[in-house]
Amino acid sequence: MAPDMATHPAIKDEVAALKRERIIGAAAQLFYDRGYENSTLEAVAETMGVTKPFIYGHFKSKAELLADICTRGVSASLVAIDTALDQDSSPSGKLRLFARDFLIAVLNNQRNIAILTREEKNLQPEDFDRLSALRREFDHKLVSLLRSGVEAGEFRLNDPYVAALSIGGLVSWAYVWYRPHGRLSLDALADEVSTLILSMAGATS
């Protein structure tokens, strides 16, 4: 007998999550191609072959969709710094791991970050504030990592805060120029960028 979703909450939640992902994917492609202001929920539904109420069953508004899309790249970047900080490694080892994972996170969310950069002005104030808080958390953790390297004698930096902003800008901007079928594979590019970031930090080991 087929499982009844009403009596299996886990299955029901999984199906709902898949539907949300479909909606987010369709909306992100439209926002990327047409811009947020030139896209409608009707257009999102049309590209999916569903009705507008289907969208409203999972998202209250177009603004909520934009916030979800914009949050993904920032959240993935936070995962990268948290993973590195949790490692039992030297500051240099943590920075190398972070740099690789950070670049991969940005490029795996290339479309989302492009939308965030272009459409940040259209976020609702509460969503803008929430994303700003996530960015500050990211910057604080990266500064902490760089300072630990300076204190351990592994990094040569006059101002870890400026260095953190520079590293963040260097990697975040990769969404503009990266091409999936370019000269370097994603792994090879991540290695190159991590070496560059260690050099920027003046790593001695």
Side-chain angles (χ1 to χ4, degrees), residues 1 7 14 19 24 27 43 49-50 53 58 71 75 80 83-84 92 96 99 111 126 145 156 164-165 171 202 205:
M1 180 180 296
T7 58
E14 184 176 342
K19 289 178 179 178
I24 290 166
V50 299
H58 300 276
T71 299
S75 296
T83 299
S92 295
R96 181 178 292 279
R111 184 177 57 185
E126 61 271 20
L145 172 55
R156 293 189 297 269
L165 293 178
V171 175
S205 61

Side-chain angles (χ1 to χ4, degrees), residues 28-102:
Q29 192 62 55
L30 275 179
F31 295 172
Y32 183 78
D33 292 339
R34 302 182 187 178
Y36 175 77
E37 293 175 333
N38 295 322
S39 302
T40 64
L41 289 183
E42 289 88 346
V44 175
E46 183 179 344
T47 62
M48 296 177 64
V50 299
T51 62
K52 191 175 174 182
F54 178 88
I55 306 292
Y56 279 124
H58 300 276
F59 292 93
K60 293 182 291 186
S61 65
K62 188 173 75 164
E64 184 181 348
L65 262 171
L66 177 64
D68 193 308
I69 290 166
C70 290
T71 299
R72 293 186 171 218
V74 180
S75 296
S77 299
L78 268 170
V79 169
I81 188 68
D82 286 339
T83 299
L85 291 174
D86 286 343
Q87 297 301 303
D88 182 16
S89 181
S90 66
S92 295
K94 291 179 180 180
L95 184 60
R96 181 178 292 279
L97 175 63
F98 159 71
R100 290 191 89 265
D101 287 355
F102 182 25

Side-chain angles (χ1 to χ4, degrees), residues 32 69-70 72-74 76-77 102-103 105-119 135 171-176:
Y32 183 78
I69 290 166
C70 290
R72 293 186 171 218
V74 180
S77 299
F102 182 25
L103 180 78
V106 166
L107 297 183
N108 281 342
N109 289 275
Q110 192 172 16
R111 184 177 57 185
N112 302 55
I113 291 175
I115 293 168
L116 170 60
T117 303
R118 294 191 321 217
E119 308 294 352
R135 286 166 157 172
V171 175
S172 296
W173 195 246
Y175 86 87
V176 174

Side-chain angles (χ1 to χ4, degrees), residues 98-146:
F98 159 71
R100 290 191 89 265
D101 287 355
F102 182 25
L103 180 78
I104 291 170
V106 166
L107 297 183
N108 281 342
N109 289 275
Q110 192 172 16
R111 184 177 57 185
N112 302 55
I113 291 175
I115 293 168
L116 170 60
T117 303
R118 294 191 321 217
E119 308 294 352
E120 187 175 41
K121 62 185 182 295
N122 288 310
L123 287 166
Q124 294 296 302
E126 61 271 20
D127 293 322
F128 179 87
D129 290 345
R130 180 174 52 81
L131 275 168
S132 295
L134 290 176
R135 286 166 157 172
R136 288 193 298 271
E137 180 183 352
F138 173 87
D139 291 340
H140 174 77
K141 289 177 175 179
L142 180 51
V143 169
S144 177
L145 172 55
L146 294 175

